[in-house]
Amino acid sequence: MENPTQVYYDDKQAVVLLRSAVLSVVSGPDQGASCELSLTRTTVGTAEDNSLVLTDPHVSRRHIEIQVRDQGYLVRDLGSTNGTRFQGARVGEALLAPGSEIRIGGTVLRLERGEERQKAVDRRESFGSLIGVSPPIQEVYGLLATVAPTDVTVLIEGETGTGKELVAEELHRQSPRRDRAFAVIDCGALPANLIESELFGHERGAFTGAVREREGMFERARSGTVFLDEIGELPIELQSKLLRVLDRRVVRRVGGNLERKVDVRLVAATNRDLAEEVRAGRFRQDLYYRLAVVRVVVPPLRTRGEDVLLLARHFLWQAGAANPERVLSPGLQQALLTRQWPGNVRELRNVIERALVMADSATGEAPLPESLLEAPPVTHAVAEPVALEPERVPVRPADVSPAATSAGAPVQPGWLGRSLPEELLDRPYKEAKEALSHEFEAAYLGRLVERFGQNISRISRKAGVDRQVIRRLLQKHGLIPKD
């Protein structure tokens, strides 16, 4: 069947197409009753808080729920007394298309195709912190604009470096939960024995070192959003516990028996093919279906040619470049536009920041693209620390008079130039740059560690750099232990 939600282009205008479905009672005590399926979930039963309330005495209070999937509509029995039947067979779950009928108690329900609704999405250069005008990223904007205001669970897929965490942050910022917590857990960065406690919490004495009870992420992020990055790395034994959170909205702490209700929106991300992981037995199929209520696939940068220079200028502006166009020389622009970007937007950002650091102080231009796009070698050379003299006022290039640069007159260097040791300036250009960059990294990251301790997520957000890059840099400079 066709996807319930789709983005297409009509004369270069992005349009979100919502294919709705209606659940109708075709026989039973409530014949003629109906309700439209929502993007979140639709429940059916005799309790008053269901989406479709029935009076059939053979139907349980909360009998079934229906969730929208890319492949159809997932009908799931909620532990009813009399069960749910499809084509005569009792089923716990069934993925159905419009026109299908199911029986619960003495009632027959039919999924019928509803009206198609279209919503034009204005072409824009950005969606919050996401930047781009190309058709692939415009499709993402359209889908995000549709699902962000809801509580629907979202699975973000895409290659490493495409910006999946930024997508998750925008889903939160543009949702009704924006004023609540946005909690992030990298499932691939924590040992399995710590992930369970971090997610679900633990009771005092649950294990060695548990000297007091602790709320898990789902409790601490109450009324907010929980973002599970690299969900494909979640150990299989913990996947069933996460499934309970999604199904019943309750958590049970490690070492405890009490179930605690939680109210969070869940967003997950992965660079793996979870469908393939399901087929290989490394990921639970039922959890995959719960996560992939709506799938957002972030396109790789190589398919977003129109966005490369736009992103480059944005990163230069973020890095404080006085004149981005000088750094983006014609040669550099050509190199950026022809590169395949295996590391995607993250790689582009690193290249642009390196271009800014290596740009000629007089002209503002970056070195030749061939040398720029090579990964810099790891170096352990460290410049001698130099104390800045507080009485000296920094001199900007604009402060230097033309007379000072005339032939035979010494050029007054800026505050950094006056502070550099002669030993460093006597080294070859490339070696001096690398040593200075190493010293800067150590000082910059050291200050952030003083402020935020070893909280990599907070350091990453403050620095505006991906968490994995920050982790490697902190380990490189001995600010956190190596894995």
Side-chain angles (χ1 to χ4, degrees):
M1 66 167 288
E2 297 173 302
N3 290 349
T5 305
Q6 181 179 337
V7 181
Y8 71 96
Y9 274 77
D10 182 10
D11 192 25
K12 298 185 179 180
Q13 170 71 53
V15 178
V16 179
L17 177 63
L18 301 174
R19 297 187 177 94
S20 64
V22 176
L23 186 66
S24 302
V25 180
V26 296
S27 70
D30 304 287
Q31 184 173 355
S34 65
C35 75
E36 185 174 341
L37 297 186
S38 69
L39 263 183
T40 52
R41 68 172 188 166
T42 302
T43 59
V44 181
T46 58
E48 292 296 326
D49 58 353
N50 285 293
S51 311
L52 179 59
V53 181
L54 302 178
T55 61
D56 186 344
H58 302 292
V59 170
S60 297
R61 286 177 55 78
R62 291 175 182 81
H63 202 108
I64 61 170
E65 73 170 13
I66 303 175
Q67 296 183 359
V68 176
R69 294 283 186 264
D70 277 355
Q71 307 92 339
Y73 300 93
L74 184 70
V75 178
R76 185 167 68 92
D77 188 272
L78 297 177
S80 65
T81 302
N82 294 316
T84 300
R85 297 185 179 275
F86 174 62
Q87 295 182 347
R90 184 164 180 165
V91 295
E93 289 185 354
L95 189 63
L96 306 179
S100 302
E101 293 186 352
I102 54 175
R103 175 180 289 276
I104 59 173
T107 298
V108 176
L109 304 170
R110 177 184 296 155
L111 281 164
E112 300 178 314
R113 192 180 299 279
E115 295 180 359
E116 287 189 351
R117 299 194 303 275
Q118 298 182 359
K119 176 184 176 183
V121 179
D122 294 335
R123 180 180 170 88
R124 54 169 100 178
E125 287 195 356
S126 65
F127 186 87
S129 57
L130 302 172
I131 306 293
V133 296
S134 63
I137 201 65
Q138 293 291 316
E139 292 187 18
V140 172
Y141 294 169
L143 196 51
L144 294 181
T146 302
V147 303
T150 73
D151 263 349
V152 67
T153 301
V154 178
L155 177 64
I156 306 169
E157 298 176 299
E159 297 177 8
T160 297
T162 50
K164 297 185 290 295
E165 183 169 354
L166 286 181
V167 172
E169 289 175 353
E170 287 309 319
L171 281 170
H172 175 71
R173 289 193 190 108
Q174 305 196 33
S175 76
R177 298 177 182 264
R178 65 180 66 88
D179 296 327
R180 301 292 184 173
F182 177 73
V184 181
I185 289 188
D186 188 338
C187 298
L190 290 174
N193 61 323
L194 293 183
I195 293 180
E196 184 175 12
S197 174
E198 186 64 26
L199 285 175
F200 310 116
H202 62 254
E203 299 291 353
R204 180 181 178 183
F207 49 82
T208 302
V211 296
R212 57 179 176 271
E213 68 175 27
R214 182 175 186 271
E215 289 184 334
M217 188 67 75
F218 286 105
E219 290 183 80
R220 297 199 302 273
R222 53 181 59 88
S223 300
T225 301
V226 171
F227 174 49
L228 299 183
D229 200 4
E230 299 303 339
I231 188 66
E233 305 289 338
L234 189 68
I236 193 83
E237 61 270 17
L238 296 183
Q239 293 176 19
S240 60
K241 295 190 175 184
L242 178 59
L243 187 62
R244 182 169 66 237
V245 177
L246 290 172
D247 283 348
R248 301 175 56 194
R249 299 290 163 174
V250 296
V251 294
R252 184 183 299 159
R253 294 177 182 173
V254 178
N257 296 315
L258 179 65
E259 290 189 336
R260 293 173 166 84
K261 285 193 171 294
V262 293
D263 173 24
V264 296
R265 181 190 195 171
L266 185 67
V267 178
T270 181
N271 59 9
R272 294 190 179 190
D273 183 345
L274 283 194
E276 178 57 36
E277 294 295 296
V278 169
R279 287 190 288 271
R282 292 186 292 266
F283 203 85
R284 292 181 61 118
Q285 183 179 47
D286 45 6
L287 178 58
Y288 172 67
Y289 284 137
R290 301 298 186 280
L291 293 171
V293 176
V294 171
R295 292 170 58 242
V296 176
V297 181
V298 187
L301 187 56
R302 61 182 171 274
T303 67
R304 301 173 53 190
E306 299 170 58
D307 298 335
V308 172
L309 295 183
L310 186 66
L311 285 163
R313 291 185 177 92
H314 174 71
F315 293 147
L316 284 169
W317 173 80
Q318 279 191 325
N323 192 335
E325 294 307 318
R326 281 192 176 181
V327 180
L328 287 173
S329 63
L332 176 56
Q333 290 189 35
Q334 181 63 25
L336 296 179
L337 291 172
T338 55
R339 189 166 174 81
Q340 288 298 300
W341 300 111
N344 293 294
V345 178
R346 181 185 300 153
E347 181 188 3
L348 173 62
R349 181 171 193 153
N350 291 342
V351 165
I352 292 301
E353 290 177 349
R354 191 155 72 247
L356 183 59
V357 170
M358 298 177 69
D360 187 279
S361 59
T363 66
E365 291 187 5
L368 293 176
E370 290 77 12
S371 63
L372 172 68
L373 294 174
E374 293 174 357
V378 177
T379 176
H380 298 287
V382 181
E384 291 296 324
V386 177
L388 298 180
E389 300 180 39
E391 67 274 11
R392 293 186 179 180
V393 178
V395 179
R396 300 182 300 275
D399 297 329
V400 180
S401 66
T405 61
S406 61
V411 176
Q412 292 293 324
W415 61 268
L416 179 61
R418 291 196 304 274
S419 305
L420 293 176
E422 289 296 327
E423 181 274 332
L424 182 66
L425 295 177
D426 288 339
R427 297 186 190 185
Y429 174 81
K430 187 175 181 181
E431 183 181 331
K433 279 260 187 180
E434 290 169 355
L436 185 60
S437 175
H438 185 95
E439 184 74 8
F440 165 75
E441 285 178 0
Y444 182 85
L445 294 170
R447 290 291 298 275
L448 292 180
V449 169
E450 287 179 6
R451 293 180 61 185
F452 304 117
Q454 295 186 2
N455 189 321
I456 293 177
S457 294
R458 293 189 67 186
I459 294 174
S460 171
R461 285 195 290 272
K462 180 64 177 177
V465 179
D466 180 79
R467 291 199 315 280
Q468 295 303 322
V469 175
I470 287 291
R471 180 185 297 278
R472 289 195 295 271
L473 288 173
L474 291 174
Q475 291 174 340
K476 169 186 171 183
H477 293 283
L479 297 171
I480 63 172
K482 293 187 176 182
D483 297 333

PDB file of all heavy atoms in Angstrom, residues 28-51:
ATOM      1  N   GLY A  28     -22.338  -5.143  14.821  1.00  0.00           N
ATOM      2  CA  GLY A  28     -22.256  -5.173  16.270  1.00  0.00           C
ATOM      3  C   GLY A  28     -23.153  -4.110  16.880  1.00  0.00           C
ATOM      4  O   GLY A  28     -23.818  -3.345  16.168  1.00  0.00           O
ATOM      5  N   PRO A  29     -23.173  -4.010  18.209  1.00  0.00           N
ATOM      6  CA  PRO A  29     -24.071  -3.063  18.886  1.00  0.00           C
ATOM      7  C   PRO A  29     -23.840  -1.600  18.499  1.00  0.00           C
ATOM      8  O   PRO A  29     -24.760  -0.787  18.587  1.00  0.00           O
ATOM      9  CB  PRO A  29     -23.756  -3.281  20.374  1.00  0.00           C
ATOM     10  CG  PRO A  29     -23.148  -4.637  20.453  1.00  0.00           C
ATOM     11  CD  PRO A  29     -22.425  -4.836  19.175  1.00  0.00           C
ATOM     12  N   ASP A  30     -22.630  -1.267  18.063  1.00  0.00           N
ATOM     13  CA  ASP A  30     -22.305   0.132  17.761  1.00  0.00           C
ATOM     14  C   ASP A  30     -22.164   0.374  16.263  1.00  0.00           C
ATOM     15  O   ASP A  30     -21.455   1.292  15.839  1.00  0.00           O
ATOM     16  CB  ASP A  30     -21.003   0.524  18.469  1.00  0.00           C
ATOM     17  CG  ASP A  30     -21.073   0.288  19.958  1.00  0.00           C
ATOM     18  OD1 ASP A  30     -21.768   1.046  20.639  1.00  0.00           O
ATOM     19  OD2 ASP A  30     -20.438  -0.685  20.438  1.00  0.00           O
ATOM     20  N   GLN A  31     -22.860  -0.421  15.446  1.00  0.00           N
ATOM     21  CA  GLN A  31     -22.743  -0.292  13.992  1.00  0.00           C
ATOM     22  C   GLN A  31     -22.985   1.156  13.559  1.00  0.00           C
ATOM     23  O   GLN A  31     -23.911   1.813  14.017  1.00  0.00           O
ATOM     24  CB  GLN A  31     -23.753  -1.204  13.312  1.00  0.00           C
ATOM     25  CG  GLN A  31     -23.638  -1.221  11.788  1.00  0.00           C
ATOM     26  CD  GLN A  31     -24.545  -2.271  11.157  1.00  0.00           C
ATOM     27  OE1 GLN A  31     -25.195  -3.059  11.866  1.00  0.00           O
ATOM     28  NE2 GLN A  31     -24.604  -2.305   9.843  1.00  0.00           N
ATOM     29  N   GLY A  32     -22.100   1.632  12.675  1.00  0.00           N
ATOM     30  CA  GLY A  32     -22.203   3.009  12.187  1.00  0.00           C
ATOM     31  C   GLY A  32     -21.243   3.966  12.870  1.00  0.00           C
ATOM     32  O   GLY A  32     -20.968   5.049  12.341  1.00  0.00           O
ATOM     33  N   ALA A  33     -20.736   3.594  14.036  1.00  0.00           N
ATOM     34  CA  ALA A  33     -19.768   4.462  14.714  1.00  0.00           C
ATOM     35  C   ALA A  33     -18.430   4.405  13.965  1.00  0.00           C
ATOM     36  O   ALA A  33     -18.117   3.417  13.296  1.00  0.00           O
ATOM     37  CB  ALA A  33     -19.572   4.030  16.160  1.00  0.00           C
ATOM     38  N   SER A  34     -17.650   5.458  14.084  1.00  0.00           N
ATOM     39  CA  SER A  34     -16.357   5.492  13.391  1.00  0.00           C
ATOM     40  C   SER A  34     -15.446   6.532  14.035  1.00  0.00           C
ATOM     41  O   SER A  34     -15.895   7.384  14.815  1.00  0.00           O
ATOM     42  CB  SER A  34     -16.533   5.826  11.904  1.00  0.00           C
ATOM     43  OG  SER A  34     -17.034   7.142  11.748  1.00  0.00           O
ATOM     44  N   CYS A  35     -14.172   6.453  13.710  1.00  0.00           N
ATOM     45  CA  CYS A  35     -13.205   7.487  14.102  1.00  0.00           C
ATOM     46  C   CYS A  35     -12.062   7.481  13.112  1.00  0.00           C
ATOM     47  O   CYS A  35     -11.794   6.464  12.458  1.00  0.00           O
ATOM     48  CB  CYS A  35     -12.696   7.256  15.529  1.00  0.00           C
ATOM     49  SG  CYS A  35     -11.523   5.904  15.703  1.00  0.00           S
ATOM     50  N   GLU A  36     -11.408   8.625  12.981  1.00  0.00           N
ATOM     51  CA  GLU A  36     -10.273   8.724  12.069  1.00  0.00           C
ATOM     52  C   GLU A  36      -9.005   8.315  12.811  1.00  0.00           C
ATOM     53  O   GLU A  36      -8.819   8.646  13.983  1.00  0.00           O
ATOM     54  CB  GLU A  36     -10.138  10.159  11.556  1.00  0.00           C
ATOM     55  CG  GLU A  36      -9.044  10.324  10.512  1.00  0.00           C
ATOM     56  CD  GLU A  36      -9.022  11.715   9.905  1.00  0.00           C
ATOM     57  OE1 GLU A  36     -10.041  12.423  10.006  1.00  0.00           O
ATOM     58  OE2 GLU A  36      -7.974  12.087   9.329  1.00  0.00           O
ATOM     59  N   LEU A  37      -8.135   7.592  12.120  1.00  0.00           N
ATOM     60  CA  LEU A  37      -6.866   7.203  12.734  1.00  0.00           C
ATOM     61  C   LEU A  37      -5.956   8.419  12.842  1.00  0.00           C
ATOM     62  O   LEU A  37      -5.862   9.218  11.912  1.00  0.00           O
ATOM     63  CB  LEU A  37      -6.174   6.126  11.900  1.00  0.00           C
ATOM     64  CG  LEU A  37      -6.900   4.787  11.754  1.00  0.00           C
ATOM     65  CD1 LEU A  37      -6.001   3.802  11.027  1.00  0.00           C
ATOM     66  CD2 LEU A  37      -7.305   4.238  13.094  1.00  0.00           C
ATOM     67  N   SER A  38      -5.291   8.544  13.980  1.00  0.00           N
ATOM     68  CA  SER A  38      -4.368   9.659  14.189  1.00  0.00           C
ATOM     69  C   SER A  38      -2.956   9.214  13.868  1.00  0.00           C
ATOM     70  O   SER A  38      -2.670   8.024  13.722  1.00  0.00           O
ATOM     71  CB  SER A  38      -4.450  10.145  15.637  1.00  0.00           C
ATOM     72  OG  SER A  38      -3.917   9.166  16.497  1.00  0.00           O
ATOM     73  N   LEU A  39      -2.039  10.180  13.782  1.00  0.00           N
ATOM     74  CA  LEU A  39      -0.640   9.845  13.524  1.00  0.00           C
ATOM     75  C   LEU A  39       0.025   9.216  14.732  1.00  0.00           C
ATOM     76  O   LEU A  39       1.077   8.615  14.618  1.00  0.00           O
ATOM     77  CB  LEU A  39       0.137  11.103  13.129  1.00  0.00           C
ATOM     78  CG  LEU A  39       0.340  11.369  11.644  1.00  0.00           C
ATOM     79  CD1 LEU A  39       1.185  12.610  11.442  1.00  0.00           C
ATOM     80  CD2 LEU A  39       0.956  10.172  10.931  1.00  0.00           C
ATOM     81  N   THR A  40      -0.530   9.406  15.919  1.00  0.00           N
ATOM     82  CA  THR A  40       0.061   8.810  17.116  1.00  0.00           C
ATOM     83  C   THR A  40      -0.474   7.392  17.294  1.00  0.00           C
ATOM     84  O   THR A  40       0.085   6.444  16.790  1.00  0.00           O
ATOM     85  CB  THR A  40      -0.230   9.677  18.350  1.00  0.00           C
ATOM     86  OG1 THR A  40      -1.632   9.952  18.432  1.00  0.00           O
ATOM     87  CG2 THR A  40       0.509  11.001  18.243  1.00  0.00           C
ATOM     88  N   ARG A  41      -1.582   7.233  17.995  1.00  0.00           N
ATOM     89  CA  ARG A  41      -2.181   5.914  18.098  1.00  0.00           C
ATOM     90  C   ARG A  41      -3.663   6.066  18.375  1.00  0.00           C
ATOM     91  O   ARG A  41      -4.112   7.049  18.974  1.00  0.00           O
ATOM     92  CB  ARG A  41      -1.513   5.064  19.175  1.00  0.00           C
ATOM     93  CG  ARG A  41      -1.728   5.514  20.600  1.00  0.00           C
ATOM     94  CD  ARG A  41      -1.170   4.480  21.559  1.00  0.00           C
ATOM     95  NE  ARG A  41      -1.528   4.780  22.940  1.00  0.00           N
ATOM     96  CZ  ARG A  41      -1.415   3.918  23.939  1.00  0.00           C
ATOM     97  NH1 ARG A  41      -0.955   2.713  23.713  1.00  0.00           N
ATOM     98  NH2 ARG A  41      -1.750   4.261  25.172  1.00  0.00           N
ATOM     99  N   THR A  42      -4.419   5.094  17.929  1.00  0.00           N
ATOM    100  CA  THR A  42      -5.869   5.075  18.107  1.00  0.00           C
ATOM    101  C   THR A  42      -6.216   3.857  18.939  1.00  0.00           C
ATOM    102  O   THR A  42      -5.786   2.745  18.619  1.00  0.00           O
ATOM    103  CB  THR A  42      -6.578   4.997  16.739  1.00  0.00           C
ATOM    104  OG1 THR A  42      -6.165   6.117  15.944  1.00  0.00           O
ATOM    105  CG2 THR A  42      -8.087   5.000  16.900  1.00  0.00           C
ATOM    106  N   THR A  43      -6.968   4.052  20.024  1.00  0.00           N
ATOM    107  CA  THR A  43      -7.351   2.930  20.885  1.00  0.00           C
ATOM    108  C   THR A  43      -8.842   2.677  20.790  1.00  0.00           C
ATOM    109  O   THR A  43      -9.639   3.599  20.578  1.00  0.00           O
ATOM    110  CB  THR A  43      -6.963   3.206  22.346  1.00  0.00           C
ATOM    111  OG1 THR A  43      -7.614   4.409  22.793  1.00  0.00           O
ATOM    112  CG2 THR A  43      -5.459   3.376  22.486  1.00  0.00           C
ATOM    113  N   VAL A  44      -9.211   1.407  20.971  1.00  0.00           N
ATOM    114  CA  VAL A  44     -10.608   0.986  20.895  1.00  0.00           C
ATOM    115  C   VAL A  44     -10.927   0.136  22.118  1.00  0.00           C
ATOM    116  O   VAL A  44     -10.147  -0.740  22.500  1.00  0.00           O
ATOM    117  CB  VAL A  44     -10.885   0.169  19.608  1.00  0.00           C
ATOM    118  CG1 VAL A  44     -12.357  -0.234  19.523  1.00  0.00           C
ATOM    119  CG2 VAL A  44     -10.474   0.955  18.372  1.00  0.00           C
ATOM    120  N   GLY A  45     -12.068   0.391  22.752  1.00  0.00           N
ATOM    121  CA  GLY A  45     -12.501  -0.373  23.910  1.00  0.00           C
ATOM    122  C   GLY A  45     -13.731   0.259  24.531  1.00  0.00           C
ATOM    123  O   GLY A  45     -14.306   1.203  23.974  1.00  0.00           O
ATOM    124  N   THR A  46     -14.116  -0.234  25.688  1.00  0.00           N
ATOM    125  CA  THR A  46     -15.337   0.283  26.333  1.00  0.00           C
ATOM    126  C   THR A  46     -15.052   1.418  27.308  1.00  0.00           C
ATOM    127  O   THR A  46     -15.978   2.097  27.746  1.00  0.00           O
ATOM    128  CB  THR A  46     -16.055  -0.856  27.076  1.00  0.00           C
ATOM    129  OG1 THR A  46     -15.150  -1.431  28.039  1.00  0.00           O
ATOM    130  CG2 THR A  46     -16.509  -1.941  26.112  1.00  0.00           C
ATOM    131  N   ALA A  47     -13.784   1.647  27.667  1.00  0.00           N
ATOM    132  CA  ALA A  47     -13.451   2.747  28.575  1.00  0.00           C
ATOM    133  C   ALA A  47     -13.656   4.084  27.876  1.00  0.00           C
ATOM    134  O   ALA A  47     -13.474   4.201  26.655  1.00  0.00           O
ATOM    135  CB  ALA A  47     -12.015   2.616  29.062  1.00  0.00           C
ATOM    136  N   GLU A  48     -14.020   5.094  28.649  1.00  0.00           N
ATOM    137  CA  GLU A  48     -14.391   6.386  28.082  1.00  0.00           C
ATOM    138  C   GLU A  48     -13.207   7.134  27.460  1.00  0.00           C
ATOM    139  O   GLU A  48     -13.408   8.069  26.691  1.00  0.00           O
ATOM    140  CB  GLU A  48     -15.041   7.277  29.155  1.00  0.00           C
ATOM    141  CG  GLU A  48     -16.402   6.785  29.622  1.00  0.00           C
ATOM    142  CD  GLU A  48     -17.443   6.809  28.496  1.00  0.00           C
ATOM    143  OE1 GLU A  48     -17.351   7.724  27.648  1.00  0.00           O
ATOM    144  OE2 GLU A  48     -18.319   5.926  28.465  1.00  0.00           O
ATOM    145  N   ASP A  49     -11.986   6.766  27.824  1.00  0.00           N
ATOM    146  CA  ASP A  49     -10.848   7.517  27.303  1.00  0.00           C
ATOM    147  C   ASP A  49     -10.298   6.938  26.002  1.00  0.00           C
ATOM    148  O   ASP A  49      -9.242   7.353  25.527  1.00  0.00           O
ATOM    149  CB  ASP A  49      -9.728   7.583  28.352  1.00  0.00           C
ATOM    150  CG  ASP A  49      -9.247   6.203  28.781  1.00  0.00           C
ATOM    151  OD1 ASP A  49      -9.865   5.190  28.379  1.00  0.00           O
ATOM    152  OD2 ASP A  49      -8.248   6.136  29.530  1.00  0.00           O
ATOM    153  N   ASN A  50     -10.993   5.980  25.389  1.00  0.00           N
ATOM    154  CA  ASN A  50     -10.549   5.434  24.112  1.00  0.00           C
ATOM    155  C   ASN A  50     -10.892   6.380  22.965  1.00  0.00           C
ATOM    156  O   ASN A  50     -11.781   7.226  23.070  1.00  0.00           O
ATOM    157  CB  ASN A  50     -11.216   4.074  23.853  1.00  0.00           C
ATOM    158  CG  ASN A  50     -10.607   2.967  24.691  1.00  0.00           C
ATOM    159  OD1 ASN A  50      -9.456   2.594  24.498  1.00  0.00           O
ATOM    160  ND2 ASN A  50     -11.385   2.458  25.645  1.00  0.00           N
ATOM    161  N   SER A  51     -10.191   6.226  21.855  1.00  0.00           N
ATOM    162  CA  SER A  51     -10.502   7.019  20.657  1.00  0.00           C
ATOM    163  C   SER A  51     -11.846   6.613  20.080  1.00  0.00           C
ATOM    164  O   SER A  51     -12.619   7.470  19.624  1.00  0.00           O
ATOM    165  CB  SER A  51      -9.405   6.815  19.600  1.00  0.00           C
ATOM    166  OG  SER A  51      -8.118   6.986  20.141  1.00  0.00           O
TER     167      SER A  51
END
